[in-house]
Amino acid sequence: MTAVKRAVAVLISGRGTNLRALIESTLAADHPARIALVLSNKAEAEGLEIAKAAGIETALIESRGKERAVFDAEMDALLKAKGIEYICLAGFMRLLTTEFVQAWYGRMINIHPSLLPAFRGTDVHARVIESGARFSGCTVHFVSPEVDAGPIILQAAVPVPQDATAESLAAAVLEQEHALYPQALRLLTEGRLVIEGQRVRVKN
Ligand code: GAR
């Protein structure tokens, strides 16, 4: 008998390369999850095409000009209607309300292109280079009401070469993101992550 796979929604706003990595990883027969829905807040998000090409249901809920609470309530209703159990934010560039975040706490994860808690927010790579830091990287974390501040699940580090540009560093970090995010989703949907305050314990 094949086990029922956990239904995951991926929320995107753009390119969707992390989405692609998540889709590919969940195709493994023994994977506990499947990407059941890709939801974008922008019509022009290229990631929507990646989802369609993979035969995954897509949804567009435009956020522009919409009150945050209204937008989040629309998303929440759709996610529930589709039976979604877990959410991956993958380049989803829209702040979420505390209410939405609390409703999904422990079941919603994000990838951020820095070694949190350093360099939260946007324009990360230019700020890393400017700071003189010798290492950067990426972080997968649970989403909490404070932006980029939730319990850390996994991290990967990359060196910052002397001649790094924001573009070259972004590319080096992105390569790590594509390996890290699938690992974190697998652990999450295997039920192996235990949040203990700000720390995450990985069960064997
Ligand atoms: C990724 O680098 C991701 O870490 C970053 O946006 C990019 C999306 O790329 N996310 C954030 O900055 C979230 N604050 P992708 O659309 O190709 O996956």
Side-chain angles (χ1 to χ4, degrees):
M1 202 182 81
T2 41
V4 176
K5 294 194 176 222
R6 309 261 70 88
V8 175
V10 182
L11 274 47
I12 60 166
S13 301
R15 194 174 51 177
T17 65
N18 277 290
L19 164 68
R20 187 196 304 276
L22 292 171
I23 291 172
E24 282 170 5
S25 71
T26 52
L27 294 179
D30 70 336
H31 202 289
R34 67 188 175 93
I35 310 299
L37 181 70
V38 173
L39 195 166
S40 174
N41 68 323
K42 291 189 183 297
E44 65 273 21
E46 296 132 278
L48 287 170
E49 300 312 314
I50 294 173
K52 284 176 192 157
I56 295 169
E57 184 176 350
T58 61
L60 171 66
I61 301 182
E62 293 266 16
S63 59
R64 193 175 295 125
K66 208 173 272 175
E67 229 176 272
R68 227 170 267 294
V70 172
F71 173 73
D72 285 9
E74 282 180 31
M75 279 206 305
D76 195 59
L78 178 67
L79 294 164
K80 284 191 180 128
K82 298 290 177 191
I84 298 302
E85 300 167 270
Y86 295 97
I87 299 173
C88 291
L89 306 183
F92 184 70
M93 305 308 268
R94 166 96 182 172
L95 296 176
L96 298 163
T97 57
T98 297
E99 207 177 18
F100 183 88
V101 171
Q102 280 172 349
W104 287 92
Y105 190 71
R107 298 183 296 144
M108 175 162 59
I109 61 177
N110 178 47
I111 189 152
H112 181 77
S114 80
L115 292 176
L116 291 173
F119 303 103
R120 290 155 60 175
T122 55
D123 199 21
V124 167
H125 306 295
R127 289 191 288 125
V128 168
I129 292 168
E130 185 73 14
S131 77
R134 296 297 193 198
F135 283 90
S136 189
C138 49
T139 303
V140 181
H141 63 93
F142 282 105
V143 179
S144 66
E146 196 180 343
V147 176
D148 299 333
I152 290 169
I153 300 167
L154 293 177
Q155 293 187 305
V158 303
V160 181
Q162 301 274 1
D163 60 352
T165 62
E167 292 70 33
S168 69
L169 184 56
V173 170
L174 192 65
E175 198 180 322
Q176 295 301 314
E177 292 184 43
H178 296 162
L180 197 72
Y181 212 177
Q183 282 177 42
L185 178 62
R186 190 181 254 276
L187 291 173
L188 177 71
T189 54
E190 283 174 349
R192 290 175 58 197
L193 301 178
V194 185
I195 302 176
E196 296 173 344
Q198 188 61 26
R199 302 179 69 184
V200 176
R201 187 162 54 85
V202 180
K203 290 195 285 187
N204 286 324

